[in-house]
Amino acid sequence: MIAPLRSTVPVPDAVADRIAAQLPPRVQAAIADAAEAGRLLTRCTGPQYAEARELLHQRLARTAKTLAAHDPRLVTRWADLPSLNR
């Protein structure tokens, strides 16, 4: 049995790759875009990056909308990005 998406049990990379291969290309692209935006958002930590943070928040919202249209359980939440919860 495959663990649910929000499980604390780690899923091996090979299993995650097989699951991701079953997703449509637009959903795969949205997942990659959300991961990249999350990484970039952690680096924008100053008042001079306010505009960049705003654009990255918009990018995350756009990818969340795409993911929710495919499966509501795939939506990225702030709790999924531990480095942003300070």
Side-chain angles (χ1 to χ4, degrees):
M1 182 173 124
I2 296 175
L5 293 174
R6 301 211 190 281
S7 173
T8 57
V9 177
V11 177
D13 290 339
V15 174
D17 291 342
R18 290 191 97 182
I19 292 169
Q22 303 298 319
L23 296 173
R26 66 181 174 81
V27 176
Q28 291 177 7
I31 290 171
D33 197 30
E36 183 184 1
R39 281 191 301 273
L40 291 174
L41 199 54
T42 60
R43 295 182 187 144
C44 296
T45 59
Q48 69 271 26
Y49 295 115
E51 187 176 344
R53 278 194 307 271
E54 181 67 28
L55 292 173
L56 289 170
H57 284 290
Q58 291 173 7
R59 191 168 159 189
L60 279 172
R62 197 169 37 252
T63 59
K65 186 176 179 181
T66 301
L67 295 173
H70 178 72
D71 186 351
R73 294 174 296 170
L74 292 175
V75 175
T76 304
R77 301 176 305 168
W78 289 114
D80 297 333
L81 305 169
S83 58
L84 296 179
N85 297 323
R86 297 182 205 171

